[in-house]
Amino acid sequence: MEPSGKATSGETVDTPQHRTLGPASRVSILRLLRDTGAGMTAADVAARTGQHLSTTRAHLERLAGAGLLVKARANGGQPGRPAWRYRATATDPAPAAYRVLVAALLEHLPSDADGRTAGRVGRDWGLRLAASVPPQDDPVEAVTAVLGGLGLSPHRQPSGPGAASVEVHLRTCPFLELVGQRPDAVCGLHAGLVRGVLESRGVRDAEAVLEPFGAPHACVVRLPPPRHRAGRR
C-alpha cells in the first residue's frame, strides 16, 4: 500500500506509520533507502535529496521511531564515534533461533550500555559457540559457521592476495527488531561474538569490524586475513 492515508476499501487509515509519512519529504527518504538497500548516513541522504542536514536528521529519526527504519553504527576499528547509518526495515523479518536468548541477554544489560559492554558479553558467547563447530584451519570459516548457525546467512566475499581484510556479508538479520531498540548493544554483541570465535582459533586481539548495512541488503564484517593468525591453541 502506498502511504496515501487511504485503504483500498476507501476508509481512512490513521496509524503512527501513516502519520509519520505525511510529509512528502519523508516519503522520498523512505523510498530512497528502500531502493538503495544499503545503509546511508544522514549526510548521504541529505546529499541525495538536497534537503538540509538537520532537517534530514529529524526526518530519519521520525521514520526510525515509527519502525520504518532501523539505525546502527559501525563497531570497532574506527576512531571516535561513527555516524548513525539508516536502513529500511524488512517487510518480513526472518525468524531467529536465538532471538529469545538475545532479547533476554539484552534485558540484563544496563539501558545505557554501549557497544563495548555488549562486545565483552559477545566475546564470551563466541568462545562458547565456537566449540560447537568443526575445527577449521581457516578461522574465517569458523566465523561463518557460527554466524550461519545463528541465521545470519554469512557469505564470504572474494579477496585477492595481500588483501588487508576479509569481508563477510550478512544477508539476513533475525535480530533486526532488536537492532531498532538497542542498536549499539546488538551490533556490539555481534562484533564481540566474532572476536570470540577468532580468539578460539588462535587469532588474538583481532579487530573484527562490523559495519551495519554496509552493502546493499547486507551488513559487512571485516576480518583479519588468515595470515594474521597468532597460532592455534
Side-chain angles (χ1 to χ4, degrees):
M1 181 192 300
E2 288 294 319
S4 61
K6 295 286 185 179
T8 54
S9 60
E11 72 269 19
T12 299
V13 176
D14 185 26
T15 68
Q17 289 189 344
H18 278 81
R19 289 194 294 273
T20 298
L21 288 171
S25 53
R26 286 187 200 144
V27 175
S28 66
I29 288 174
L30 182 59
R31 284 176 175 160
L32 170 64
L33 287 164
R34 283 177 173 170
D35 291 343
T36 303
M40 300 177 71
T41 66
D44 294 333
V45 175
R48 292 281 295 274
T49 62
Q51 297 176 16
H52 191 276
L53 181 57
S54 60
T55 302
T56 300
R57 286 197 182 104
H59 286 327
L60 289 167
E61 287 300 314
R62 286 291 299 273
L63 290 166
L68 296 165
L69 301 179
V70 288
K71 65 179 186 178
R73 27 176 159 233
N75 293 88
Q78 299 184 20
R81 198 163 178 79
W84 290 112
R85 296 175 68 93
Y86 298 83
R87 193 184 79 175
T89 53
T91 56
D92 185 19
Y98 291 88
R99 182 183 179 83
V100 175
L101 172 62
V102 173
L105 193 155
L106 291 177
E107 288 179 1
H108 287 81
L109 289 176
S111 59
D112 59 349
D114 58 15
R116 291 185 296 273
T117 303
R120 290 192 289 270
V121 176
R123 171 190 169 274
D124 293 340
W125 190 26
L127 286 168
R128 287 170 172 79
L129 289 179
S132 65
V133 300
Q136 293 92 343
D137 291 332
D138 184 350
V140 177
E141 293 299 322
V143 169
T144 59
V146 169
L147 295 176
L150 293 175
L152 293 166
S153 303
H155 290 262
R156 182 174 180 169
Q157 302 303 298
S159 57
S165 64
V166 174
E167 280 193 8
V168 176
H169 288 191
L170 309 180
R171 297 186 179 176
T172 59
C173 182
F175 312 101
L176 200 57
E177 182 181 338
L178 298 176
V179 172
Q181 298 169 10
R182 300 282 300 276
D184 283 347
V186 174
C187 294
L189 184 72
H190 288 155
L193 185 150
V194 170
R195 293 187 187 107
V197 176
L198 290 174
E199 185 175 332
S200 77
R201 296 303 189 263
V203 184
R204 301 180 182 89
D205 302 319
E207 277 299 336
V209 178
L210 172 62
E211 184 181 350
F213 324 139
H217 309 292
C219 294
V220 177
V221 179
R222 292 189 174 86
L223 306 170
R227 67 173 182 274
H228 286 179
R229 298 175 66 190
R232 292 281 297 275
R233 286 184 174 178

